[in-house]
Amino acid sequence: MHPETALNARCPNLCAMTTTTSRSLAIAAKGLAKAYGDKTVLDGIDLAVPTGTVFSLLGPNGAGKTTAVKILSTLIRADAGELHVGGHDLAADPQAVRAAIGVTGQFSAVDGLITGEENMLLMADLHHLSRGEGRRTAVELLERFDLTEAAKKPVSTYSGGMKRRLDLAMTLVGNPRIIFLDEPTTGLDPRSRHNMWQIIRELVSDGVTVFLTTQYLEEADELADRIAVLNDGKIAAEGSAGELKRLIPGGHVRLRFTDPAAYQSAAVALREVTRDDEALALQIPSDGSQRELRAILDWLDSAGIEADELTVHTPDLDDVFFALTDGAGVPDQPKETVR
Ligand SMILES: Nc1ncnc2c1ncn2[C@@H]1O[C@H](COP(=O)(O)OP(=O)(O)O)[C@@H](O)[C@H]1O
Ligand SMILES: [Mg+2]
């Protein structure tokens, strides 16, 4: 074993990409690189996904999300990188990786000409389940994904949402502990999207690790424990949704008063505030961190001033995304990794 691998296996938190200390990593990539011809798609990226968490790889069309999923799920080979999935070395033991994972997405295995049930039974065959077990699994999963009624109809008659649900049901036949979802809700209507989100949450509550790619900031915000923004072949930023939002300027704390006297004294005493005399509210630039909030609260306490309401406003993920991917970016820290 490569000495660095040994170190990582003993001490997963050594990886700078995660703040998790004790949990093992379901997916770990170091220096993952892939080019097509002279086009670099992945320029040596690092990824670390703790077991039982949702990790979202977020990026615009063509960013390299599917390429990353295909590599990590053994469908194509990386040019370089030390890659582990489910504790198995991707290069040395792709079979073991394949046995540990499920993949759902853009390169879906769903066959439109046959019924949902037939698709499920095919999948059960692929996983070498016995006839009875395959049937039972198919029935259970079709039920779970609300496809029982449609089970005997050809998949070509299914709606987009139903096809995605069937795709995911097929993925779950082998009871994988790590699932790759490549843009699972792209093109779905809002109701089907929320439906899919709920399904993903249930998977996670069963302890499944989810590697989710998406172009939707809202989706990453809703589902992911950690988000990596993929841009120009590199991870432009990585962290929780909250951490990413704090990366870009525009956040502030708003203090609202009902007592005009308290408002006045706070406005006079606090530097760098924006006043809203009408609403008796003050805005203080802030990254929303605990340290800054404590400082503001301490200051209010020591001045004997009581605000009636304190709210933290962070820029939303859209702001972050556009700041990171259009090159205008965050001054001085566009490649920052949030810890
Ligand atoms: N088989 C291939 N041959 C050549 N270029 C490819 C191939 N697959 C993907 N690409 C290119 O790699 C880039 C990343 O593609 P992809 O991983 O599909 O992005 P995403 O999933 O983020 O939309 C794109 O520019 C795409 O055109
Ligand atoms: Mg893709």
Side-chain angles (χ1 to χ4, degrees):
M1 192 188 275
H2 191 281
E4 228 158 37
T5 312
L7 198 59
N8 257 344
R10 274 205 309 275
C11 213
N13 58 319
L14 275 184
C15 177
M17 305 296 289
T18 175
T19 54
T20 306
T21 48
S22 57
R23 274 199 281 190
S24 63
L25 295 177
I27 300 167
K30 264 180 97 181
L32 169 53
K34 178 76 185 177
Y36 287 112
D38 56 7
K39 181 181 168 48
T40 301
V41 178
L42 299 171
D43 196 6
I45 64 171
D46 296 342
L47 300 168
V49 184
T51 300
T53 66
V54 182
F55 181 88
S56 178
L57 190 60
L58 182 64
N61 221 346
K65 301 182 297 297
T66 297
T67 303
V69 167
K70 282 184 174 172
I71 290 170
L72 293 171
S73 57
T74 76
L75 292 174
I76 59 173
R77 287 183 78 91
D79 298 336
E82 235 179 78
L83 312 173
H84 288 85
V85 175
H88 308 288
D89 186 317
L90 216 72
D93 204 355
Q95 282 299 345
V97 171
R98 253 169 247 147
I101 65 170
V103 187
T104 302
Q106 291 182 327
F107 38 94
S108 161
V110 177
D111 183 341
L113 295 176
I114 59 177
T115 70
E117 186 178 53
E118 286 163 345
N119 268 287
M120 293 294 290
L121 293 175
L122 262 180
M123 212 60 191
D125 268 355
L126 277 176
H127 283 279
H128 308 296
L129 299 189
S130 71
R131 201 159 241 270
E133 205 180 337
R135 223 156 246 299
R136 201 170 50 238
T137 307
V139 167
E140 266 172 31
L141 283 166
L142 287 166
E143 172 77 39
R144 175 166 166 197
F145 290 102
D146 202 17
L147 291 167
T148 304
E149 244 173 78
K152 303 236 185 276
K153 293 182 184 143
V155 173
S156 55
T157 64
Y158 286 19
S159 70
M162 288 163 77
K163 279 185 194 141
R164 298 290 170 91
R165 297 208 301 277
L166 177 63
D167 195 359
L168 190 48
M170 287 166 66
T171 304
L172 295 182
V173 168
N175 196 25
R177 304 311 291 161
I178 302 171
I179 294 180
F180 292 89
L181 299 174
D182 194 16
E183 300 200 27
T185 68
T186 296
L188 293 187
D189 60 83
R191 178 194 287 269
S192 306
R193 173 169 302 161
H194 280 265
N195 202 331
M196 187 57 86
W197 288 354
Q198 194 48 40
I199 288 170
I200 294 170
R201 286 196 193 97
E202 282 164 20
L203 286 177
V204 176
S205 68
D206 288 346
V208 170
T209 305
V210 176
F211 187 100
L212 168 88
T213 75
T214 183
Q215 300 185 40
Y216 302 115
L217 303 144
E218 192 196 355
E219 183 156 293
D221 203 354
E222 280 284 333
L223 296 175
D225 298 296
R226 295 187 79 74
I227 300 167
V229 181
L230 186 60
N231 185 50
D232 210 11
K234 295 206 163 67
I235 302 295
E238 200 261 351
S240 67
E243 285 169 335
L244 291 180
K245 288 172 192 173
R246 271 187 253 115
L247 257 185
I248 74 159
H252 62 267
V253 169
R254 182 177 156 95
L255 297 173
R256 203 178 52 75
F257 299 84
T258 45
D259 176 8
Y263 167 72
Q264 277 302 340
S265 34
V268 171
L270 276 172
R271 284 173 302 143
E272 286 185 53
V273 294
T274 308
R275 300 172 58 133
D276 180 348
D277 289 343
E278 201 119 319
L280 298 184
L282 300 173
Q283 278 190 17
I284 307 158
S286 163
D287 63 2
S289 69
Q290 191 178 342
R291 188 172 45 78
E292 288 202 352
L293 288 182
R294 189 175 292 129
I296 292 168
L297 291 173
D298 284 350
W299 177 85
L300 286 170
D301 271 350
S302 62
I305 296 169
E306 195 165 327
D308 293 276
E309 187 182 280
L310 180 151
T311 44
V312 180
H313 296 259
T314 44
D316 70 15
L317 218 42
D318 281 299
D319 300 330
V320 180
F321 190 66
F322 292 118
L324 290 169
T325 56
D326 72 5
V330 184
D332 302 330
Q333 53 180 17
K335 305 281 190 259
E336 182 87 339
T337 294
V338 181
R339 282 153 216 242

